[in-house]
């Protein structure tokens, strides 16, 4: 299934993508896409619904982030060997973990907003993992059983805030609209192998990232197991698993986003996003 949330920001309703590409409204069946709805039992109930029986949502309706109630937005840094190399950094001996504020989360096609004092706003296409049930001290062998589904994420980053200011990476990762998520939550039964998905990103039509999850240093199962040793993972938590090479910071000379740019990105089987870049007011 491809689950989604549609409508104005803060007023999103649950939905499902039909086989013909139309968006169908799930409001009569569930309150939102999150919590128990994305548990194994909740997803099994949704799978019994015929999308054709649901009301059709008007074409062009805004899509929100594909999951609600995210308590933690966890990111894994330098998780592609080739991206670590372009960043001039060694492959880490363990996953690099940082948090992105949940207030950064927005719809897949919502604008990228360049912060007022930003000089180095960058792009990162990533595979996002959405947790479906409570996970603590999970083995790597069982880790994928805790996944509700997968989605496309743009881990937008302000590199000066991230690396040139004192402290940790969080403030370079957490600005408003720095976490486009969706368009769909694609349930795990539709993704046979999360370590074999192509991914790409373009800026103004130029392909700058063209990678695959096959080159992840620490795969999805390892990351879930690893994180669960340090913290409980809850339904709706999002893990963004790192980006392949081609980010602006790694270009020679570096290249960053400016107002008027258009960013498009996608992950195989998970859909794609499109964002206009604007300056903050």
């Amino acid at each position: 299934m491809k689950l989604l949330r549609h409508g104005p920001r803060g007023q999103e309703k649950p939905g499902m993508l039909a086989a013909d590409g139309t968006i169908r409204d799930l409001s009569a069946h569930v309150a939102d896409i999150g919590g128990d709805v994305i548990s194994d039992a909740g997803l099994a109930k949704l799978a019994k619904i015929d999308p054709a029986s649901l009301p059709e949502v008007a074409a062009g309706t805004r899509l929100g982030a594909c999951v609600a109630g995210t308590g933690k937005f966890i990111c894994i840094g330098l998780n592609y060997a080739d991206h670590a190399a372009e960043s001039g950094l060694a492959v880490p001996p363990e996953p690099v973990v940082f948090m992105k504020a949940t207030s950064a989360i927005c719809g897949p096609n919502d604008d990228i907003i360049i912060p007022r004092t930003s000089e180095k706003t960058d792009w990162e296409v990533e595979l996002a993992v959405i947790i479906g049930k409570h996970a603590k001290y999970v083995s790597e062998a069982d880790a994928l059983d805790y996944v509700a589904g997968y989605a496309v994420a743009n881990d937008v980053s302000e590199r000066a805030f991230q690396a040139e200011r004192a402290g940790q990476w969080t403030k370079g990762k957490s600005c408003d609209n720095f976490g486009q998520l969706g368009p769909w939550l694609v349930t795990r039964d539709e993704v046979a192998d999360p370590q074999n998905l192509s991914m790409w990103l373009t800026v103004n039509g130029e392909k700058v990232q063209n990678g695959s999850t096959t080159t992840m240093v620490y795969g999805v199962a390892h990351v879930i197991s690893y994180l669960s040793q340090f913290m409980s993972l809850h339904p709706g938590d999002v893990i963004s698993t790192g980006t392949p090479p081609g980010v602006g910071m790694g270009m020679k000379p570096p290249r960053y986003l400016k107002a008027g740019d258009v960013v498009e990105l996608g992950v195989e089987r998970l859909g794609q996003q499109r964002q206009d870049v604007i300056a903050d007011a």
Side-chain angles (χ1 to χ4, degrees):
M1 288 182 294
K2 294 179 175 65
L3 303 175
L4 57 99
R5 300 170 67 245
H6 61 92
R9 191 163 188 165
Q11 302 175 45
E12 291 93 346
K13 297 178 180 180
M16 175 186 290
L17 189 71
D20 62 1
T22 57
I23 294 172
R24 302 299 178 122
D25 183 66
L26 276 170
S27 297
H29 297 270
V30 295
D32 213 335
I33 304 299
D36 290 342
V37 172
I38 57 173
S39 68
D40 289 347
L43 293 175
K45 289 180 181 179
L46 291 182
K48 295 177 181 178
I49 299 171
D50 178 6
S53 70
L54 301 171
E56 185 172 344
V57 176
T61 297
R62 173 189 175 272
L63 296 178
C66 59
V67 64
T70 297
K72 293 188 290 295
F73 193 163
I74 309 167
C75 298
I76 307 300
L78 303 174
N79 199 26
Y80 286 71
D82 32 13
H83 172 56
E86 75 171 349
S87 302
L89 299 168
V91 172
E94 296 185 37
V96 172
V97 180
F98 63 93
M99 296 291 195
K100 196 175 182 89
T102 56
S103 56
I105 297 173
C106 60
N109 303 316
D110 288 350
D111 297 335
I112 293 172
I113 303 173
I114 298 177
R116 287 182 182 178
T117 58
S118 168
E119 296 178 353
K120 298 180 179 180
T121 296
D122 205 348
W123 56 82
E124 294 190 8
V125 60
E126 305 205 0
L127 169 67
V129 179
I130 298 164
I131 298 297
K133 61 183 178 181
H134 179 261
K136 187 175 184 180
Y137 302 130
V138 172
S139 71
E140 189 166 340
D142 294 335
L144 296 185
D145 293 341
Y146 292 81
V147 175
Y150 302 92
V152 183
N154 192 356
D155 176 21
V156 184
S157 308
E158 212 299 338
R159 303 302 187 185
F161 297 176
Q162 176 187 355
E164 299 171 19
R165 307 283 292 270
Q168 300 178 341
W169 288 2
T170 304
K171 60 181 173 284
K173 296 284 189 170
S174 297
C175 304
D176 293 348
N177 284 41
F178 267 28
Q180 285 80 4
L181 187 64
W184 338 116
L185 183 162
V186 181
T187 51
R188 72 172 188 267
D189 59 296
E190 292 199 14
V191 182
D193 183 4
Q195 303 310 143
N196 188 27
L197 300 172
S198 60
M199 52 206 309
W200 56 273
L201 183 146
T202 67
V203 179
N204 300 329
E206 176 190 352
K207 185 168 284 186
V208 291
Q209 289 191 275
N210 188 21
S212 170
T213 59
T214 58
T215 65
M216 271 189 196
V217 178
Y218 301 105
V220 171
H222 181 90
V223 166
I224 293 170
S225 174
Y226 181 84
L227 291 172
S228 77
Q229 309 308 308
F230 303 104
M231 67 190 84
S232 290
L233 303 174
H234 297 103
D237 284 352
V238 175
I239 305 168
S240 204
T241 56
T243 197
V247 299
M249 177 180 64
M251 294 182 173
K252 301 186 188 319
R255 172 181 167 188
Y256 298 109
L257 295 171
K258 63 185 185 301
D261 286 343
V262 175
V263 176
E264 296 178 272
L265 59 149
V267 177
E268 182 182 358
R269 304 186 67 83
L270 306 184
Q272 62 187 62
Q273 305 179 352
R274 181 195 183 279
Q275 294 119 27
D276 292 318
V277 181
I278 66 172
D280 206 352

